[in-house]
Amino acid sequence: MEVIIILINGNVIIIQSGGPTAVINSSMVGIVEAILESNKPSIKIYGAKGGLKGLLNNSLVRLDTLTKEKLKSIKYTPGAMLGTCRLKIEGFHLRKIIGIFKVLNINHCFYIGGNGSMYVAEQISNCARELNYPLCTIGVPKSIDNDLDMIDHSPGYASAAKFLIACTEDITLDIVSYEAPKKVTIMETMGRNTGWLAASCSLAEQKSSNCKQLIYIPESPFSLINCLETIEYNYNNDYHTLLIVSEGIRDHQDQLIAAKTLQYDSLNRPKLGGVSWLLKDEIDNNLNIGTRCIDTSIWQRSSSRYISLTDVNEAYNLGYNAWKAALNNEDCVMVTLSRLETSEYMVEYSSVPLSRIAGIEKTVPKHWYDETKKAMNKEFIDYIKPLVKGDVVKPSFDLEQQHVSI
């Protein structure tokens, strides 16, 4: 394969992709500050307004002219500040992107996103090689679903988990305030085909209360009969039941529980969500026990009140290390982090080829889940506890910052 030498003084583009998170902007600021600190004043840093669609429409902003104060504010601000989108990428899109890069002398592309985004980043890199264009493409991970492979945990997950833990604590306090009648409460979480978010709610379990918590994740086949029997048992023994259900739970035939009501997005992926209402109907029809649903929906993605300081710092460091990877002439890689086997929680940063990530989903290890008790085991508790540590003082931002302007 022909080796293409990347022009280190070429300009930079940063693209945010997929669903927003509480810390996706932290990674962007990490990239920008790393470049500014490298003392290369000739480099222009562009941001694509509205993700790939913005890039294809030449809707760009300059990020290298942002003040230190502005960057600090953005670092602690949830939501995708550049804007994001979901777009099914085609060959003509890729060629147009490389054409835009040529005009702007962009030789470094930083793509912040999840599983599908890493696939797009790989396609951009491959297209550049096919067209013999010198481009360094670095993927920067983010995913509240925590389903990116080759990384201990994805930026955005810890903050979303922290929000859900707080929700579960508050909901449980409300539930246990009532002695009678005993009821069922269903809280649905995001997560797509994995149960990382639902699992996080285990940190809020009140084992000594009159409310029994049950967690259902896609990694374990869901049995409606077993679920109904457990609810009925709790009711007959004078307990409330709190069901924590991941949107992507499946039956023993590996079919989505909400399969009959599925719709599809622009990428032809199933729009998950709504399983809690299907379960409510089943409980109403079979048990006649008072049941209510709580859907945290998109609220869990970018909550500003429960940002994990660990999450912010790691997201920033991954962005910072993305520029280090570029300086080392790495291409078509994603920066990643690994947990060290030390008494104190510590991570180290490295990179992995995009080809080893795209299209692969990391699931909750089965031995971390107790299928009988519908609860998480100690291994998961030990895994998540350090991730949600540290609080961020609510940043002073306004909605105008949601649309970065220079």
Side-chain angles (χ1 to χ4, degrees):
M1 179 182 293
E2 181 182 357
V3 177
I4 300 177
I5 299 175
I6 307 300
L7 303 176
I8 201 61
N9 290 321
N11 295 325
V12 171
I13 184 80
I14 300 176
I15 304 168
Q16 294 179 328
S17 179
T21 78
V23 299
I24 188 173
N25 297 319
S26 306
S27 294
M28 180 185 74
V29 172
I31 299 167
V32 173
E33 291 191 342
I35 297 171
L36 295 178
E37 290 175 14
S38 64
N39 196 27
K40 295 183 182 296
S42 62
I43 295 180
K44 297 176 182 177
I45 309 174
Y46 294 97
K49 289 282 291 176
L52 276 181
K53 290 182 180 178
L55 174 60
L56 290 164
N57 291 321
N58 278 295
S59 179
L60 306 173
V61 293
R62 287 280 296 278
L63 301 176
D64 51 296
T65 58
L66 293 173
T67 65
K68 290 182 179 180
E69 291 74 20
K70 186 81 168 179
L71 286 169
K72 182 179 180 181
S73 176
I74 293 173
K75 177 181 178 180
Y76 296 102
T77 302
M81 299 285 287
L82 288 173
T84 183
C85 72
R86 299 188 191 278
L87 176 69
K88 185 177 181 181
I89 199 77
E90 304 284 357
F92 70 92
H93 290 133
L94 295 169
R95 292 187 289 274
K96 184 175 181 179
I97 288 170
I98 301 304
I100 293 171
F101 288 175
K102 286 181 180 179
V103 172
L104 297 173
N105 191 32
I106 290 173
N107 296 119
H108 301 88
C109 174
F110 295 94
Y111 209 99
I112 309 175
N115 207 314
S117 300
M118 293 305 107
Y119 170 78
V120 173
E122 183 185 23
Q123 296 306 301
I124 291 173
S125 178
N126 291 341
C127 184
R129 286 184 175 274
E130 290 173 5
L131 297 175
N132 203 35
Y133 181 73
L135 181 69
C136 165
T137 306
I138 308 289
V140 182
K142 70 89 198 170
S143 171
I144 68 162
D145 300 329
N146 199 34
D147 59 356
L148 270 166
D149 201 25
M150 305 301 293
I151 187 169
D152 182 81
H153 53 278
S154 301
Y157 168 64
S159 294
K162 191 169 184 174
F163 169 80
L164 288 170
I165 292 166
C167 287
T168 307
E169 289 174 342
D170 294 345
I171 290 167
T172 303
L173 287 171
D174 184 272
I175 293 171
V176 300
S177 298
Y178 295 89
E179 282 299 317
K182 293 300 186 286
K183 294 184 178 182
V184 178
T185 301
I186 309 173
M187 189 172 99
E188 182 173 336
T189 74
M190 288 182 169
R192 296 202 64 78
N193 299 313
T194 66
W196 294 101
L197 284 172
S200 69
C201 299
S202 59
L203 267 68
E205 183 179 12
Q206 303 293 323
K207 293 185 179 180
S208 59
S209 74
N210 64 359
C211 177
K212 295 295 184 181
Q213 183 189 96
L214 303 173
I215 294 176
Y216 293 93
I217 61 176
E219 289 83 352
S220 176
F222 176 79
S223 168
L224 177 60
I225 293 176
N226 177 267
C227 179
L228 294 174
E229 288 176 348
T230 305
I231 292 171
E232 187 172 35
Y233 175 86
N234 290 343
Y235 181 82
N236 291 336
N237 286 274
D238 209 27
Y239 287 107
H240 295 286
T241 301
L242 173 59
L243 302 183
I244 310 293
V245 296
S246 177
E247 63 183 0
I249 57 173
R250 297 169 177 268
D251 61 21
H252 286 82
Q253 283 72 47
D254 200 33
Q255 296 297 310
L256 288 164
I257 300 302
K260 292 182 179 179
T261 60
L262 278 183
Q263 295 180 343
Y264 293 83
D265 63 17
S266 60
L267 301 178
N268 201 34
R269 299 184 310 176
K271 291 182 178 180
L272 301 180
V275 66
S276 56
W277 291 98
L278 293 176
L279 292 179
K280 181 183 184 304
D281 288 343
E282 292 290 349
I283 295 168
D284 289 341
N285 295 333
N286 290 280
L287 300 179
N288 194 30
I289 297 174
T291 303
R292 59 185 172 183
C293 295
I294 299 170
D295 186 355
T296 52
S297 188
I298 61 171
W299 197 0
Q300 61 204 278
R301 291 202 298 212
S302 300
S303 172
S304 62
R305 300 288 179 176
Y306 297 99
I307 305 172
S308 159
L309 184 59
T310 299
D311 202 12
V312 169
N313 291 336
E314 291 178 345
Y316 176 88
N317 290 338
L318 282 162
Y320 200 95
N321 279 274
W323 178 243
K324 287 185 178 180
L327 290 177
N328 289 332
N329 210 38
E330 295 188 51
D331 178 34
C332 205
V333 300
M334 183 189 81
V335 286
T336 186
L337 59 81
S338 304
R339 190 180 307 221
L340 299 178
E341 295 183 4
T342 53
S343 56
E344 294 281 332
Y345 171 75
M346 295 179 66
V347 298
E348 64 178 0
Y349 298 91
S350 59
S351 61
V352 292
L354 287 173
S355 60
R356 297 181 62 186
I357 299 163
I360 301 173
E361 289 180 317
K362 180 184 69 178
T363 57
V364 178
K366 289 188 176 181
H367 66 281
W368 287 9
Y369 180 69
D370 189 323
E371 291 191 337
T372 302
K373 296 180 179 179
K374 309 304 177 187
M376 304 312 299
N377 291 327
K378 183 178 181 298
E379 290 91 339
F380 175 79
I381 303 300
D382 292 341
Y383 167 83
I384 193 174
K385 270 189 174 181
L387 308 187
V388 297
K389 283 188 175 180
D391 298 314
V392 173
V393 177
K394 186 177 182 296
S396 57
F397 62 88
D398 54 54
L399 291 178
E400 289 182 3
Q401 289 180 326
Q402 188 67 22
H403 304 285
V404 178
S405 59
I406 308 300

